Amino acid sequence: MSLLTTRDIQPGRGFLERAAEVAWQYLEAQDQPAAAAHVVVPTAAQIPATRQALQAVAARSGRAGLLPRILTLGHWLLDVPPLPDDPLPRTHLTRLLTVQQAIRSQSWLQQIFGLQGEGAAWGLAQTILTVGDELSRRWLTLDAAWAGAADDDADYETRLQAALAVGYDTLAERFLGEESRIVMAFWRTLADRADPVPVRLQGMARLAEQVDGPVIWLAPTPPEHAEQAWLERLAQRVPVLQIGYAWHADVSNETTPSQASVTELATLLQAWPECRTDDAEVREAPAHAEADHGAAGFSQGDEPPWPAPAIRLCGAARFEDEALMAAQTLVNWLNEGRKQLALVAHDRVVARRVRALLARAGAPVSDETGWKLSTTRAAAALMRWFDIVVTGGDSQALLDFLKSPYCLPAMEGRSQRIGALEALIRRYSVTGGWARLKQVAERDSQYADPDAGNTAREATQQVGAMQALIATLADEASRWAEPGKRPLGAWLALAEQTFDHFDMRAALVADEAGRQLLECLRRLGLRGDAVQMASITLSLAEWRALIGVVLESEVFKEPAPAGDCRIVVLPLNGARMRRFEGVVVVGCDDGQLPSAAPELMFLSNAVRRELGLADREARFAQQARDLAEVLLNNAEVVLTWQRTGSQGEPRALSGWLQRLAQRYAAHGVTLAAKVALPVLTTRATPQKMPQPIAPTLVPNRLSAAGYQALRRCPYQFFATRMLRLAELDEPSEQLEKRAVGELLHATLLRYHQAVAEAPADHAGDAERLALLTAISREVFQALLTYDGNVLPFYHRWEQVMPGYVAWQREREAQGWQWQAGEVARAREMTLDDGHILTLHGRLDRLDRQRDGTLAVLDYKTQPLRVLRDKPDEIFEDCQLAFYGLLEPDVAEGAWVALENSERDGMDVNRAVELPDYATIVDWLARQLGEDIVRLRAGEPLPAFGDEAACRYCEARGLCRKGFWEGTA
């Protein structure tokens, strides 16, 4: 005889109290004490409220004794130990690898599903497992795991296979598509005794034999197929009470709810008929309610027979307004003294922003939603390492990995080394490649900012540290990039070694997400079938894709802070059977409510119907019930939405809420409301040209480029040199002109050194051209190996070389001899106020005349026709004259064109001299000294740069030119 009793209670604020009363009445009718009973709830979140309701009813009625045990079915199954002959449950990884290997070995499967890349294969494997588990929960009956008194547990496998066959044959009788047949084939193959769902069924079967007291099943949703069978099996031995929601307006229950809640439920059911679980028409209200008048249930203008609900629909103009609106509402409730509040994160992005705003306000928050482990910094560091290995040293991935707080946290001078490496990568536009990184790091260059004041020794140490860091990274990456496949254990061991090599373990252990990442990798090594796992090998691409799938499936939940967390962030279904003093639901626009779960690859809605699984309509119906429960259970609910999406597209309120608002509007009740956002009073004040004064920030070292910035625009000098707010260059796939210039400088330095060392061997133009060609090829080849963009520049240089050799011969005929190249100079200059200013820079070339006169030459990757205008711009472009300050013995200066133009042709004269060079240098010395002295004395730094200076200025956003009152 079955002892199963079912009670359906109307959902609402009094549901738990009414359920507790029914439970106590039921327990009192049994012969056993209440302490021998078990109350089963869906999740641990419902346990505190259920216990509180049972205690409250017991106190009111004067019942004495202990409460029944309240727990979830999953926790209860932990009381059932496995038998000695039970196989180890197959881990998710084992199942995933088995399916993935089967997919990779069957080319026809890959063709059917159009799989491209390892990620697609792992995604398909994950989908097949997900659907297989759903099929097992839907079609495997408890009889497959049940062992009666006369049965031997060894027959479990036989019973399981028989149940599989029944389910398979039942489905096979339907008209199935190819996708469904493939899923069913995998399901029948994988669902054996060690599969998770059969293991759970076996535990439920054994638990049913051990229960000796009443059982109360309390849940807001109907039990699954196997759970219902388990309850019916239990009812053959012990009393079982099943309490659930009655999603209809019939109040013929033995425990009658309040009239207002029944009327509210009836209104919700008429607005959202998808909530109903009965087939009959929804009855509007009890006998005293007015007759049905139209679709809304009442005629326009009638007074509603229930109090106006505390439901507010708040539309926001944009994302930030919605987040601020939600946060302000919660903070206001806290200030009113409310202690239990909830934020339903139906829009996860908005909820994250609300969470940040609450943290700023110091509000206590506990997040029950969590987010994917793959989105944490710890997981990002691991995946960036994969990117580095796969791409052979991609610059952006490399910088992201090094900047991670988990990587080399104790390295000496960590910030300086990483900053210098980033400056190197950006300066030379290095997009990736270990060889290219090493080649650039080995260049004899000053990688730091020329105004930073680094000594030659410091620069050498910095370059050496960068070379060592790059070599360490490259060596570790080479171990990962070795060709061939490896067992899972080998990949895990390699990951452990990398963590230790970069001193990451301690930092990961100190972080909550890092600890979960390490635990996730540790679980990958806990193999349920060691023999099968040992035979599976993975390539680097497969291993990387596997880690990506695992991290995507793991949920990270930040630990709740110590103390009383009065605001709980939870998903919509996490609010089931829970009451709060106020609830805010974000994301209630028509694009997100109802929310449709993304279809898993081929698993369309039609396929789910073919397989007898819950389809989209069923999910929408349950979502409607969850939202209705939130409205019925809580005293005040605020639902927010955005009128404009992130791309500027218009949005509307959810259709569900529109229907509800129309029904309440028929009674004169308006649900739409406005939330007053904090008002910041601002006043527009016309601004003038900025003229900062910063005498204490005037640098003690100055380069030609720095002084050029001062003359171009004093405000630009203030922002970039004094405040040091210069932007970092972005690495580009295109070769920068600066990099080409440095190649030419290196080529010409080697060329002139070779000619000076052996002039007799290079007397003729033919010999010199051959020498210059050979050196050019060698220098450019170092970059051509990594960047094909340099090839056009090299061809242009080939056209320039004959003219350059001819010009050099002509210059030597005039008595000039190459003296030195790439000469680093620094000179101290005493200013009128007594301060010492250090000038520094690098001279491209020094020539000496027969009479000992020195001339400085400045190489320019510009044609001669452009250089001819340089003398007219000398008071703006002071670089050549600045070289005269660094080398006082220089008497002449000239620019040298390293570029041809159609107009110039093969003109032998490639130099443009600066007239009155000594006079210009004297003027510059006086002007520079006066400028620096005035700045030290408090001279303003106005933003008076012309359009040419402003076009590419990094400080344009600071000076706000174009928004001033008047003009410069």
Side-chain angles (χ1 to χ4, degrees):
M1 181 182 69
S2 175
L3 302 177
L4 178 62
T5 304
T6 301
R7 289 287 185 271
D8 289 336
I9 301 175
Q10 304 283 357
R13 287 184 282 278
F15 169 79
L16 277 178
E17 289 75 7
R18 294 194 294 275
E21 292 175 358
V22 172
W24 278 117
Q25 294 171 4
Y26 184 81
L27 292 175
E28 287 179 344
Q30 312 305 320
D31 295 334
Q32 296 173 291
H38 290 80
V39 178
V40 182
V41 294
T43 67
Q46 284 100 7
I47 293 178
T50 302
R51 181 183 294 113
Q52 184 179 5
L54 288 171
Q55 288 175 335
V57 172
R60 274 199 311 269
S61 59
R63 294 183 176 92
L66 298 176
L67 294 177
R69 185 184 180 190
I70 308 171
L71 74 176
T72 67
L73 180 57
H75 289 158
W76 200 359
L77 289 175
L78 296 177
D79 296 343
V80 182
L83 297 178
D85 60 342
D86 283 347
L88 288 175
R90 187 176 293 110
T91 64
H92 177 69
L93 175 64
T94 304
R95 304 167 69 217
L96 190 64
L97 284 170
T98 302
V99 177
Q100 189 266 353
Q101 293 293 308
I103 294 172
R104 299 299 296 170
S105 63
Q106 302 294 329
S107 59
W108 63 275
L109 275 177
Q110 302 174 39
Q111 293 174 358
I112 288 176
F113 297 112
L115 301 184
Q116 296 181 355
E118 295 300 333
W122 287 108
L124 177 59
Q126 180 70 48
T127 299
I128 290 175
L129 286 180
T130 301
V131 182
D133 288 343
E134 287 191 70
L135 286 170
S136 295
R137 290 193 296 269
R138 170 64 180 84
W139 294 102
L140 288 184
T141 62
L142 193 65
D143 290 333
W146 186 264
D151 291 335
D152 188 347
D153 192 65
D155 294 333
Y156 174 43
E157 189 70 36
T158 302
R159 295 192 303 273
L160 177 62
Q161 292 303 319
L164 277 169
V166 171
Y168 185 89
D169 293 342
T170 302
L171 287 173
E173 293 176 357
R174 306 183 179 188
F175 178 75
L176 298 181
E178 190 169 34
E179 296 91 343
S180 299
R181 291 197 299 270
I182 293 173
V183 172
M184 288 176 59
F186 273 103
W187 172 51
R188 190 168 187 178
T189 303
L190 291 173
D192 57 16
R193 187 178 180 184
D195 210 42
V197 175
V199 167
R200 179 181 173 87
L201 290 176
Q202 179 75 345
M204 293 168 64
R206 293 173 181 169
L207 178 62
E209 295 178 335
Q210 301 175 9
V211 177
D212 54 4
V215 175
I216 298 176
W217 180 274
L218 178 60
T221 58
E224 292 185 348
H225 184 69
E227 293 170 344
Q228 185 64 48
W230 180 71
L231 292 174
E232 293 173 358
R233 184 75 66 174
L234 276 177
Q236 297 177 8
R237 300 183 62 253
V238 297
V240 177
L241 172 63
Q242 183 178 341
I243 302 176
Y245 279 166
W247 285 106
H248 51 80
D250 185 2
V251 293
S252 59
N253 222 318
E254 59 181 74
T255 303
T256 305
S258 66
Q259 197 60 55
S261 63
V262 172
T263 311
E264 292 173 5
L265 174 61
T267 301
L268 281 172
L269 291 178
Q270 287 210 348
W272 304 339
E274 47 268 83
C275 290
R276 295 184 301 177
T277 56
D278 61 333
D279 296 329
E281 289 295 326
V282 178
R283 279 167 287 184
E284 174 57 34
H288 78 276
E290 298 184 29
D292 187 9
H293 297 288
F298 296 91
S299 61
Q300 179 70 27
D302 288 340
E303 289 296 327
W306 70 92
I311 302 173
R312 287 184 287 161
L313 306 179
C314 301
R318 54 188 182 276
F319 167 84
E320 189 65 26
D321 287 349
E322 182 182 10
L324 186 58
M325 184 186 301
Q328 187 66 44
T329 301
L330 292 168
V331 170
N332 290 342
W333 287 343
L334 286 178
N335 293 336
E336 293 173 5
R338 305 191 194 189
K339 298 185 180 300
Q340 293 182 328
L341 306 174
L343 171 65
V344 176
H346 203 66
D347 185 327
R348 295 299 309 278
V349 179
V350 174
R352 292 286 290 272
R353 179 58 180 155
V354 175
R355 173 83 187 277
L357 293 172
L358 291 174
R360 183 184 301 174
V365 178
S366 175
D367 192 345
E368 295 182 5
T369 60
W371 53 88
K372 294 180 179 179
L373 183 60
S374 60
T375 63
T376 62
R377 292 190 303 173
L382 178 59
M383 297 309 293
R384 291 313 263 170
W385 175 249
F386 285 139
D387 293 339
I388 293 171
V389 174
V390 171
T391 59
D394 175 75
S395 296
Q396 191 58 55
L398 181 63
L399 291 175
D400 289 346
F401 178 70
L402 289 174
K403 291 179 181 179
S404 168
Y406 310 100
C407 179
L408 298 170
M411 181 175 64
E412 183 180 357
R414 181 178 185 273
S415 298
Q416 291 77 6
R417 291 192 186 185
I418 297 174
L421 179 60
E422 182 172 14
L424 169 73
I425 289 173
R426 294 178 182 276
R427 174 179 172 83
Y428 292 97
S429 197
V430 180
T431 56
W434 296 117
R436 171 66 173 144
L437 284 167
K438 293 178 180 178
Q439 183 263 338
V440 173
E442 290 168 1
R443 296 177 63 91
D444 183 19
S445 301
Q446 174 78 22
Y447 299 124
D449 188 332
D451 292 328
N454 290 359
T455 64
R457 180 180 178 183
E458 291 172 340
T460 302
Q461 292 175 346
Q462 190 179 79
V463 171
M466 281 192 294
Q467 291 174 346
L469 179 59
I470 293 173
T472 299
L473 292 162
D475 291 343
E476 183 67 17
S478 65
R479 298 175 39 216
W480 282 77
E482 294 176 0
K485 294 188 174 185
R486 307 182 194 184
L488 177 66
W491 285 117
L492 289 169
L494 190 57
E496 296 287 337
Q497 294 169 13
T498 298
F499 288 153
D500 294 334
H501 195 79
F502 294 121
D503 197 19
M504 299 176 66
R505 188 177 303 280
L508 288 170
V509 170
D511 178 71
E512 189 69 30
R515 287 196 295 272
Q516 186 170 340
L517 173 65
L518 293 175
E519 175 62 21
C520 182
L521 294 177
R522 187 190 68 84
R523 289 200 306 269
L524 290 180
L526 301 178
R527 303 184 289 274
D529 189 343
V531 176
Q532 182 182 10
M533 294 292 290
S535 63
I536 295 177
T537 58
L538 303 174
S539 66
L540 174 60
E542 291 174 326
W543 165 245
R544 179 191 187 194
L546 170 62
I547 292 297
V549 170
V550 171
L551 295 180
E552 280 287 311
S553 62
E554 290 284 329
V555 177
F556 170 71
K557 291 186 178 181
E558 187 177 0
D564 180 22
C565 295
R566 293 188 288 168
I567 300 177
V568 180
V569 184
L570 38 73
L572 183 58
N573 57 11
R576 294 171 182 170
M577 284 176 52
R578 300 172 70 177
R579 286 190 56 188
F580 301 94
E581 295 177 79
V583 177
V584 174
V585 185
V586 295
C588 296
D589 58 78
D590 56 352
Q592 300 185 90
L593 184 67
S595 62
E599 294 186 353
L600 301 175
M601 258 190 189
F602 62 88
L603 190 61
S604 64
N605 209 41
V607 173
R608 297 189 68 87
R609 282 194 292 266
E610 288 179 5
L611 297 176
L613 305 177
D615 57 10
R616 186 185 300 112
E617 287 72 20
R619 293 175 175 176
F620 280 0
Q622 185 56 51
Q623 199 171 154
R625 296 186 198 108
D626 291 339
L627 181 61
E629 184 179 354
V630 169
L631 300 181
L632 292 168
N633 281 0
N634 299 284
E636 187 171 0
V637 181
V638 173
L639 303 108
T640 68
W641 59 285
Q642 297 175 47
R643 297 189 180 93
T644 305
S646 59
Q647 303 300 321
E649 72 280 7
R651 290 181 176 177
L653 181 64
S654 168
W656 285 350
L657 297 178
Q658 288 188 46
R659 279 186 268 160
L660 183 64
Q662 289 172 0
R663 294 194 177 274
Y664 277 107
H667 312 293
V669 177
T670 302
L671 299 184
K674 292 183 179 180
V675 175
L677 297 176
V679 178
L680 300 177
T681 303
T682 60
R683 182 176 57 188
T685 304
Q687 297 295 312
K688 297 184 179 181
M689 178 196 301
Q691 302 184 49
I693 298 174
T696 60
L697 297 179
V698 177
N700 295 320
R701 287 174 58 88
L702 195 62
S703 65
Y707 186 62
Q708 188 69 34
L710 177 61
R711 294 198 59 79
R712 185 184 301 114
C713 175
Y715 190 88
Q716 184 183 104
F717 179 82
F718 166 74
T720 60
R721 261 63 183 185
M722 298 173 72
L723 296 182
R724 307 190 66 78
L725 299 177
E727 295 179 351
L728 289 173
D729 296 329
E730 291 295 334
S732 171
E733 295 290 344
Q734 301 297 324
L735 189 66
E736 296 289 340
K737 192 173 184 179
R738 177 180 56 195
V740 176
E742 291 173 350
L743 289 175
L744 294 177
H745 282 216
T747 299
L748 293 175
L749 176 61
R750 291 181 53 182
Y751 166 72
H752 285 294
Q753 286 175 338
V755 173
E757 291 173 0
D761 297 338
H762 309 97
D765 287 0
E767 292 83 0
R768 291 193 176 189
L769 181 58
L771 173 65
L772 183 56
T773 301
I775 293 175
S776 299
R777 286 177 179 173
E778 184 178 345
V779 172
F780 275 80
Q781 186 62 39
L783 187 57
L784 277 170
T785 305
Y786 321 111
D787 191 349
N789 292 320
V790 76
L791 190 59
F793 294 96
Y794 176 69
H795 287 327
R796 287 162 58 181
W797 172 237
E798 283 184 317
Q799 298 171 4
V800 174
M801 284 190 287
Y804 183 85
V805 170
W807 167 78
Q808 177 64 28
R809 174 178 45 78
E810 181 66 24
R811 185 167 177 79
E812 292 175 359
Q814 297 172 3
W816 292 100
Q817 292 293 329
W818 181 87
Q819 181 73 18
E822 304 302 315
V823 182
R825 286 286 187 268
R827 177 193 171 194
E828 291 185 348
M829 180 178 177
T830 303
L831 304 179
D832 292 343
D833 61 358
H835 284 86
I836 303 298
L837 177 65
T838 301
L839 308 179
H840 66 97
R842 187 180 297 272
L843 285 64
D844 293 351
R845 172 174 167 176
L846 285 175
D847 280 6
R848 185 178 295 277
Q849 183 58 265
R850 295 189 187 97
D851 60 2
T853 302
L854 279 179
V856 61
L857 302 184
D858 187 14
Y859 293 136
K860 292 295 184 182
T861 54
Q862 295 172 323
L864 187 63
R865 59 180 176 81
V866 176
L867 297 185
R868 290 194 179 104
D869 297 330
K870 282 287 187 181
D872 298 333
E873 304 170 356
I874 190 58
F875 296 105
E876 300 299 330
D877 186 352
C878 304
Q879 184 177 18
L880 186 59
F882 193 92
Y883 292 157
L885 297 179
L886 297 176
E887 188 64 56
D889 295 334
V890 169
E892 296 185 16
W895 296 279
V896 179
L898 300 182
E899 182 70 87
N900 283 341
S901 68
E902 296 180 0
R903 184 183 305 175
D904 298 330
M906 294 294 294
D907 194 339
V908 173
N909 184 19
R910 309 195 68 81
V912 175
E913 294 185 1
L914 176 59
D916 300 324
Y917 185 75
T919 303
I920 297 298
V921 171
D922 291 341
W923 165 82
L924 180 62
R926 292 192 305 271
Q927 186 65 48
L928 187 150
E930 293 173 0
D931 290 343
I932 299 302
V933 168
R934 286 200 301 268
L935 293 182
R936 292 185 186 279
E939 181 78 10
L941 291 143
F944 59 48
D946 58 14
E947 182 58 29
C950 297
R951 186 176 296 117
Y952 304 108
C953 180
E954 299 168 331
R956 184 68 178 265
L958 293 178
C959 79
R960 305 291 292 167
K961 184 175 181 179
F963 295 88
W964 304 335
E965 183 182 36
T967 58

